Amino acid sequence: MASLGTPLPQFPEAKSSATTLLWQVYHRRPRTQRTRVLALASVFFVLVLFLLNRSSRPPDPDYWTKFPSRHPFPNRPEDAQLVLPRPKFSVNGSLPHDLSKANPQFHVLVPAEDSSRGVCRTMTSAMILEYPPLSMIGWGLPSSSGLTEFEQTVQRITRMRDYLKDSHYVHDRDIVLVVDGEDIFFQLPPRVLLQRFQNILRTTNQKLAKKYGYAELPTEGPDAQPELVQKYEQRVLFGASKECIPSLHNDSGCVTVPQSSLPPDVYGWKTDEFHDGTRNRPRWLNPGAVMGQAADVRLIYDEMLQQMENYGSNKTDEHKILTQMYGRQEVLRELERRRTTNRAKDWLYRTIGISDASNITGVNVRLETGHRYEFGIGVDFESQLFFNQILSRKDVAWVKYSNISRMSTLQMEHKVPREHRLLLPTELAECANPFVQTRFAKDEEMIPAYNETLDKLPDPNERSWVNVPLMTNPHSASIPALIHMNGDKKLRDVWWEKMWFFPWARALLRKYIRNSRGFDSAQSALLGGQEWWDARGGRGGIWTDEEEWIPLYEVCQGQERDLFDDDLGPFGKENGDPLRPVYNQFGTLIKGEKKRSRRT
Ligand SMILES: *[C@@H]1O[C@H](CO)[C@@H](O)[C@H](O)[C@H]1NC(C)=O
Ligand SMILES: *[C@@H]1O[C@H](CO)[C@@H](O)[C@H](O)[C@H]1NC(C)=O
Ligand SMILES: *[C@@H]1O[C@H](CO)[C@@H](O)[C@H](O)[C@H]1NC(C)=O
Ligand SMILES: *[C@@H]1O[C@H](CO)[C@@H](O)[C@H](O)[C@H]1NC(C)=O
Ligand SMILES: *[C@@H]1O[C@H](CO)[C@@H](O)[C@H](O)[C@H]1NC(C)=O
Ligand SMILES: *[C@@H]1O[C@H](CO)[C@@H](O)[C@H](O)[C@H]1NC(C)=O
């Protein structure tokens, strides 16, 4: 039997013995029919693998470049170093004199023209939790009451965009939180909010890298390595809602957006199917609160304004535009995924039901080449940051985490499958006890002066985060940092009185204002410390978009009953004290007259 296709070579006599040996080894066993079939099969297999592999790794990204998708602002918000390490003391114990806040700041922006009960509650809860002073955008500007609702929306968004663009205090890398003024209660300290924001982005971005992969950027020079960038990133988080806008029923903003990260039976066996929507897993965008890097949020506002211009006289609103933006972003991501995916694998996964494809069935979108649809929008599925009350009022309970018997039955009461023990989250347990009074040096003047009645707080050895009632969502096992009271308006009064700080709100607020001069915060500020979120300083008031400072007792005069319900009179004038000066953390006078006797 001669071996096919390989005529025996005629070696000259002079060839070396080594070659002979090789030749003999190679031809020791003649090939059989069976090995030939095997060889052919494996060649075929390799070829198939090669082809499949080819189809999963195309040479050039198409949708990704056709519609500009690379984010224009490269810094990632989850990499921002928001809490600085403490600077080193020099050998002789003095501090560097050129301290300035070099890391990104944190700003809270609230669109509000005027005071109201809602604005005062938003403000009060933010102060008690030591958020940076709120920037009220549009405060005191000519009223918009003569305008149509659409014009008011355009004005509000324009003002917000302009502030993000023009303010000397807001830099591209800073983190901004934009919340509705009327109906937000802050529940947890800013550290927790920031930490969770960054953690959610980190986790999601790992998933997005796996799902959508990387794109190669063309590089200059013949032997430069191509730069790989993650195709799609999450950069901005909105609150998640249980319902989509009914008029957008078939829009990609309702159909294509990602499924919740919560388990598919988290509201029992009718999860996502119950007729009234209360058992839907929150999935759709709610515009009441948004958090992200200033540059990223500004990009979204720019696009919103452009969309609103396109709508012209047609009525539309912020919620609708944002929903559509979110939807189109997801359609493009899905188109790009389908283009680059391995077809066989995709088919297999769809067949056995583990596909992560987004639904673009029946979705009709008009996409303009060259237009950006990628904004890094995502939502906070598990209400770690923002809780929306619509369709969710029965999903929560105010619980003390130290009450073990209560905590162990909470999830059962809410019919959550697969219970696990609810523990106080570590990021909250690490926060300072809110009931510890500020330390002052003996001869230091306390403003406002300490008063046993007004400043009474529980003993911090007996009370802290673990035994105050915290509004908890047992379904997602989360304690939301912010509560958006966008449901039944009557519940605003009821829920305000359930908040952990309510019984001590006046004392906590006085403590917060006094803090600005206390030993701890002076040191913290000097050291570029953790509570120094915003370089403008100021405590106990708001900043307007014109950078004017307005103290709380001016903003919320007459709201005391709704804020504290304690019959102790107007805030800030409890003992007939005159209006007090306000200092920022560096002892610089911001507002009011300086008393001569004070040392600064
Ligand atoms: C302390 O040391 C730093 C440098 O280590 C020096 O710049 C500064 O002048 C010193 N201050 C005093 C009061 O000696
Ligand atoms: C949505 O799509 C369905 C068919 O998929 C159609 O019957 C219905 O009229 C559409 N609704 C709207 C509001 O366009
Ligand atoms: C505005 O309304 C008109 C008439 O109803 C319609 O033709 C047009 O497409 C609408 N524009 C947008 C952007 O929806
Ligand atoms: C995809 O969306 C369409 C239109 O809303 C809907 O009819 C269909 O059931 C959805 N498919 C899946 C798998 O969810
Ligand atoms: C724990 O919670 C239960 C149920 O709400 C309550 O009856 C009980 O008094 C609580 N225990 C403590 C120590 O607060
Ligand atoms: C403390 O405040 C209460 C209520 O305003 C007032 O009646 C009382 O006189 C104050 N006590 C002191 C020592 O100032």
Side-chain angles (χ1 to χ4, degrees):
M1 190 178 72
S3 56
L4 247 173
T6 38
L8 293 177
Q10 299 300 307
F11 285 97
E13 288 302 308
K15 76 180 169 9
S16 73
S17 55
T19 326
T20 317
L21 191 67
L22 267 181
W23 189 84
Q24 278 169 349
V25 168
Y26 190 65
H27 284 270
R28 208 175 48 203
R29 279 185 290 146
R31 296 186 195 176
T32 64
Q33 192 76 21
R34 212 171 112 246
T35 44
R36 236 178 303 144
V37 169
L38 265 178
L40 271 177
S42 44
V43 165
F44 180 71
F45 186 67
V46 167
L47 197 72
V48 166
L49 268 186
F50 175 72
L51 283 177
L52 283 180
N53 225 15
R54 256 179 67 85
S55 72
S56 74
R57 221 176 281 149
D60 57 335
D62 197 35
Y63 290 103
W64 191 78
T65 44
K66 195 165 149 198
F67 306 94
S69 303
R70 185 171 189 216
H71 213 272
F73 187 72
N75 302 42
R76 287 227 197 157
E78 65 265 41
D79 299 334
Q81 195 187 23
L82 297 166
V83 178
L84 271 186
R86 303 199 146 211
K88 293 212 169 56
F89 286 96
S90 53
V91 189
N92 53 21
S94 68
L95 282 164
H97 61 274
D98 55 348
L99 276 177
S100 68
K101 191 169 170 66
N103 62 332
Q105 303 179 24
F106 174 44
H107 309 275
V108 184
L109 314 182
V110 181
E113 289 181 349
D114 206 351
S115 176
S116 68
R117 185 192 307 176
V119 167
C120 287
R121 283 181 173 161
T122 303
M123 244 177 107
T124 309
S125 55
M127 286 182 190
I128 286 173
L129 285 154
E130 311 239 346
Y131 276 77
L134 307 188
S135 302
M136 298 288 191
I137 308 302
W139 190 268
L141 294 183
S143 164
S144 57
S145 52
L147 305 176
T148 67
E149 207 169 308
F150 177 68
E151 288 164 337
Q152 285 180 16
T153 310
V154 173
Q155 190 182 60
R156 182 161 42 83
I157 295 170
T158 311
R159 284 174 178 169
M160 194 59 83
R161 194 271 316 264
D162 291 349
Y163 183 74
L164 288 176
K165 195 166 79 172
D166 302 331
S167 167
H168 298 305
Y169 291 99
V170 182
H171 309 284
D172 280 354
R173 281 163 63 228
D174 290 354
I175 302 290
V176 296
L177 167 68
V178 185
V179 295
D180 275 1
E182 273 301 317
D183 51 4
I184 296 278
F185 300 167
F186 288 80
Q187 178 169 233
L188 300 183
R191 263 181 85 96
V192 176
L193 180 75
L194 290 165
Q195 230 168 324
R196 288 184 182 172
F197 169 72
Q198 293 190 312
N199 284 345
I200 292 174
L201 291 193
R202 243 173 246 132
T203 316
T204 315
N205 280 333
Q206 272 168 13
K207 287 188 194 149
L208 292 180
K210 220 166 124 197
K211 180 168 176 184
Y212 298 105
Y214 294 80
E216 274 180 27
L217 290 184
T219 35
E220 312 261 307
D223 41 42
Q225 287 288 324
E227 191 192 342
L228 283 182
V229 293
Q230 181 169 339
K231 273 189 189 161
Y232 301 117
E233 294 162 23
Q234 195 166 87
R235 310 177 68 95
V236 172
L237 280 175
F238 284 86
S241 169
K242 282 185 173 179
E243 60 173 8
C244 198
I245 303 176
S247 65
L248 290 185
H249 201 66
N250 290 349
D251 190 275
S252 54
C254 294
V255 174
T256 313
V257 296
Q259 295 289 347
S260 170
S261 53
L262 290 171
D265 59 352
V266 72
Y267 289 94
W269 65 280
K270 282 233 166 165
T271 300
D272 293 345
E273 278 162 24
F274 202 60
H275 60 86
D276 66 359
T278 52
R279 298 196 197 161
N280 287 347
R281 288 174 291 164
R283 170 186 174 201
W284 294 284
L285 182 147
N286 180 286
V290 55
M291 192 166 177
Q293 258 172 171
D296 300 346
V297 175
R298 196 177 58 219
L299 196 66
I300 291 177
Y301 285 135
D302 278 335
E303 171 71 10
M304 280 170 77
L305 288 174
Q306 198 183 334
Q307 294 287 331
M308 289 189 149
E309 211 167 280
N310 292 349
Y311 269 94
S313 54
N314 298 15
K315 261 183 144 176
T316 186
D317 61 37
E318 183 184 2
H319 194 173
K320 199 163 158 185
I321 286 184
L322 281 167
T323 301
Q324 289 179 326
M325 279 168 65
Y326 187 25
R328 287 183 196 145
Q329 167 189 298
E330 295 301 319
V331 168
L332 265 181
R333 287 183 181 185
E334 176 64 11
L335 290 174
E336 175 70 3
R337 192 195 67 83
R338 290 192 184 185
R339 190 181 69 82
T340 54
T341 191
N342 178 327
R343 300 253 162 82
K345 195 177 95 187
D346 210 32
W347 173 83
L348 183 70
Y349 281 14
R350 266 203 317 272
T351 311
I352 57 178
I354 55 167
S355 169
D356 58 357
S358 308
N359 187 357
I360 51 173
T361 316
V363 163
N364 194 2
V365 287
R366 250 201 356 254
L367 301 171
E368 283 168 52
T369 304
H371 190 87
R372 167 177 293 277
Y373 295 98
E374 176 59 47
F375 294 94
I377 296 175
V379 301
D380 168 31
F381 291 121
E382 306 190 6
S383 63
Q384 296 274 348
L385 314 181
F386 318 125
F387 174 82
N388 283 295
Q389 194 194 31
I390 292 181
L391 298 176
S392 307
R393 54 179 287 189
K394 299 217 175 95
D395 287 355
V396 294
W398 274 259
V399 287
K400 297 179 181 172
Y401 278 69
S402 60
N403 188 339
I404 294 173
S405 62
R406 174 97 177 94
M407 295 314 297
S408 61
T409 55
L410 183 63
Q411 287 192 315
M412 201 170 66
E413 279 165 28
H414 284 81
K415 302 193 175 60
V416 181
R418 296 176 304 278
E419 299 158 45
H420 49 269
R421 225 175 125 197
L422 291 175
L423 297 170
L424 192 72
T426 41
E427 70 270 19
L428 180 57
E430 283 166 6
C431 285
N433 184 330
F435 299 115
V436 175
Q437 290 283 5
T438 318
R439 287 185 291 159
F440 277 86
K442 246 199 182 129
D443 57 345
E444 220 175 339
E445 190 185 358
M446 288 198 236
I447 301 177
Y450 188 83
N451 173 307
E452 286 292 339
T453 320
L454 299 171
D455 291 306
K456 192 167 170 46
L457 284 180
D459 180 352
N461 294 320
E462 276 158 26
R463 202 170 299 260
S464 71
W465 294 111
V466 75
N467 54 4
V468 291
L470 294 170
M471 192 199 89
T472 299
N473 178 353
H475 297 276
S476 61
S478 66
I479 309 173
L482 267 70
I483 303 168
H484 187 199
M485 304 288 297
N486 53 354
D488 186 353
K489 285 192 178 150
K490 280 186 231 116
L491 283 179
R492 291 183 190 169
D493 292 340
V494 182
W495 283 24
W496 177 253
E497 300 196 357
K498 290 185 177 196
M499 298 302 292
W500 69 265
F501 47 74
F502 176 73
W504 308 286
R506 187 187 294 262
L508 287 166
L509 207 53
R510 286 169 63 89
K511 178 193 135 195
Y512 162 77
I513 291 170
R514 195 177 296 131
N515 252 355
S516 61
R517 304 201 38 83
F519 173 76
D520 289 334
S521 61
Q523 192 181 31
S524 174
L526 273 175
L527 295 174
Q530 305 183 340
E531 315 311 330
W532 193 26
W533 301 116
D534 180 332
R536 287 176 307 187
R539 267 173 183 255
I542 55 167
W543 290 102
T544 69
D545 39 2
E546 312 270 287
E547 303 303 347
E548 191 192 344
W549 173 260
I550 304 178
L552 175 73
Y553 52 75
E554 272 181 42
V555 178
C556 293
Q557 223 160 18
Q559 307 280 358
E560 284 78 12
R561 217 191 72 79
D562 288 317
L563 294 178
F564 312 119
D565 197 19
D566 60 3
D567 296 325
L568 287 171
F571 181 79
K573 298 182 191 168
E574 284 91 353
N575 291 319
D577 303 337
L579 298 188
R580 291 179 202 86
V582 179
Y583 295 84
N584 71 11
Q585 277 131 325
F586 313 104
T588 313
L589 186 70
I590 293 173
K591 175 142 188 155
E593 273 190 59
K594 207 167 11 171
K595 271 202 257 170
R596 274 181 196 276
S597 60
R598 182 198 315 285
R599 290 173 303 138
T600 46

